[in-house]
Amino acid sequence: MRLLRWFRISRDLVLESNVLLLVIGIIFLADVYIHIFVKLSTLESFEMGNYIVSLSAWMNWVRGFTLITYIFEAILGIRIARSPSLFAYAGYMLIGFILLIYLASIAISSIAFLDEFNLSVDMLLQKLWLGNRFDKVESLFECCGKTGVIDYLETIVNRTWSRESCCGMETCHGCREIIHATLRGIEKEIARDNIIVFVVLCIAMLIMLLHYKDAELADDPYESESSDDDDYKDDSEPSTLKYPGQQ
């Protein structure tokens, strides 16, 4: 108990932690933009959304909305640090708890469902191969066939590889491994971003909780002493949080 009394969280630290929260939210929101309009837009013709939900465009829009809420959480925390109130504090903790659950679910699913992810990628490649749409894959990744040039020699259907592929080169490799590595790399980036955001949010919420753990509801400083005014007193005035030791 003495250690907790000695280790007091200042209001400046609450403010700084939420400013950091705001900066990180903006940075990773920009990263979501890069995923949607740069990385995944090049793979749009592959129709990944039908097979790999975590890399679909709509899921990235959900991630963007989550980070916007994350930024709102940071702004709310900054406001609480400057002008504390019970309603804002309760909203901060509630929104933060919901965000923590969502961020953790994304990060855990990226690790726990690795086998399902690999199976989905294989199904995607099989659909592109059977639909004779592998030329886009080969030109984009500079590869040849699913496993190599031998795929064109063994197939019953008379196929010809894309001119933009590397099938005519001795060092040409198949597309399966490089596509798995590329999509898995994007998946890891998404998991990494959510883990970092999760940890920073946990720290900010812990700092907020430790700072206001002994706070009390402060009475309205402008409350009238007249009994007549008390009869007409508006009870809808917002409650504020009083710092420990504040008069």
Side-chain angles (χ1 to χ4, degrees), residues 3 40 57 78 91 101 110 118 124 176 178 181 187 209 217 224 227 238 241-243:
L3 180 61
L40 295 181
I78 294 173
I101 294 177
S110 300
N118 293 332
L124 172 63
R176 183 180 182 277
I178 189 172
E187 181 85 353
L209 182 63
L217 284 177
S224 174
S227 59
L241 288 171
K242 182 169 63 176
Y243 293 102

Side-chain angles (χ1 to χ4, degrees), residues 51-53 115-125:
Y51 293 90
I52 308 173
V53 176
D115 293 337
E116 288 79 359
F117 178 85
N118 293 332
L119 178 61
S120 297
V121 175
D122 288 336
M123 292 175 61
L124 172 63
L125 294 178

Side-chain angles (χ1 to χ4, degrees), residues 42-178:
T42 60
L43 306 174
E44 185 177 1
S45 60
F46 296 169
E47 300 178 2
M48 290 192 305
N50 297 331
Y51 293 90
I52 308 173
V53 176
S54 59
L55 299 183
S56 61
W58 69 268
M59 178 56 73
N60 281 277
W61 285 110
V62 172
R63 288 177 58 218
F65 176 77
T66 302
L67 286 172
I68 291 175
T69 307
Y70 187 89
I71 293 173
F72 172 78
E73 171 90 342
I75 295 174
L76 182 61
I78 294 173
R79 182 184 181 280
I80 294 174
R82 301 184 64 180
S83 179
S85 69
L86 178 62
F87 179 78
Y89 175 77
Y92 181 91
M93 300 306 292
L94 177 61
I95 295 173
F97 182 73
I98 295 174
L99 283 174
L100 288 178
I101 294 177
Y102 180 76
L103 294 170
S105 64
I106 295 179
I108 293 174
S109 62
S110 300
I111 300 174
F113 299 102
L114 178 60
D115 293 337
E116 288 79 359
F117 178 85
N118 293 332
L119 178 61
S120 297
V121 175
D122 288 336
M123 292 175 61
L124 172 63
L125 294 178
Q126 184 67 13
K127 177 186 177 181
L128 295 174
W129 179 258
L130 295 178
N132 199 19
R133 296 166 52 193
F134 226 67
D135 53 340
K136 295 181 179 180
V137 178
E138 294 174 334
S139 61
L140 179 62
F141 293 97
E142 297 182 355
C143 53
C144 180
K146 288 191 296 181
T147 58
V149 184
I150 191 174
D151 291 332
Y152 287 99
L153 303 178
E154 292 183 347
T155 182
I156 300 176
V157 182
N158 184 19
R159 297 178 185 270
T160 55
W161 55 68
S162 172
R163 294 180 179 179
E164 298 179 3
S165 68
C166 65
C167 292
M169 300 175 59
E170 295 182 359
T171 58
C172 193
H173 50 78
C175 297
R176 183 180 182 277
E177 292 185 3
I178 189 172

Side-chain angles (χ1 to χ4, degrees), residues 14-25:
V14 175
L15 178 62
E16 292 168 358
S17 65
N18 282 280
V19 170
L20 178 62
L21 205 68
L22 177 62
V23 172
I24 290 179

Side-chain angles (χ1 to χ4, degrees), residues 198-218:
F198 177 89
V199 171
V200 176
L201 180 57
C202 279
I203 295 174
M205 291 180 65
L206 181 61
I207 291 174
M208 181 76 72
L209 182 63
L210 291 175
H211 182 66
Y212 291 107
K213 63 182 176 66
D214 295 325
E216 300 176 354
L217 284 177

